[in-house]
Amino acid sequence: VVATDFQHLPRMLASLSAQNVQARGIATSRSTPHSLRPKDFLPNVSSYSKINYLIHEVIGLLYYRYSGYISFSDIFPETERGI
C-alpha cells in the first residue's frame, strides 16, 4: 500500500509498476468538490497554483517516461499497448 498526495499517486504507482512491484494507492489529500459558480471561471491565484502543480506532474510523468523509468502501460495499466 502506497500513501501519498493525490496528485503524486499516478506517477508513484507507475514507477512501482515499472519495477514489477504491485501496489495499491491511497491518497492522503484531495480537495473536496463544490458546485461550480460563475466566479470559478475567472482567473485567480488559487487557479494559478493548481495549474502550476498540474504542469509539474505532467512534466514529471513525461520525464519518467522518456528517461525509461516508466512505460506507457505503467501509467495506464489497463491498456496493453506499451507505447
Side-chain angles (χ1 to χ4, degrees):
V1 175
V2 175
T4 188
D5 188 76
F6 177 74
Q7 282 111 349
H8 295 295
L9 201 52
R11 185 164 35 113
M12 175 56 72
L13 293 175
S15 298
L16 291 171
S17 175
Q19 299 299 316
N20 294 319
V21 175
Q22 293 181 354
R24 295 181 62 90
I26 297 175
T28 58
S29 64
R30 185 177 188 170
S31 54
T32 56
H34 66 277
S35 299
L36 289 176
R37 301 172 302 239
K39 74 176 193 170
D40 291 332
F41 296 94
L42 298 174
N44 61 51
V45 174
S46 176
S47 295
Y48 174 77
S49 174
K50 290 175 186 175
I51 195 70
N52 192 31
Y53 200 73
L54 174 67
I55 291 169
H56 171 84
E57 287 302 313
V58 168
I59 289 172
L61 280 171
L62 290 172
Y63 175 80
Y64 276 45
R65 168 66 180 95
Y66 290 105
S67 294
Y69 297 125
I70 60 177
S71 68
F72 185 83
S73 61
D74 295 323
I75 300 169
F76 303 104
E78 64 276 356
T79 63
E80 297 292 328
R81 292 174 31 184
I83 296 174

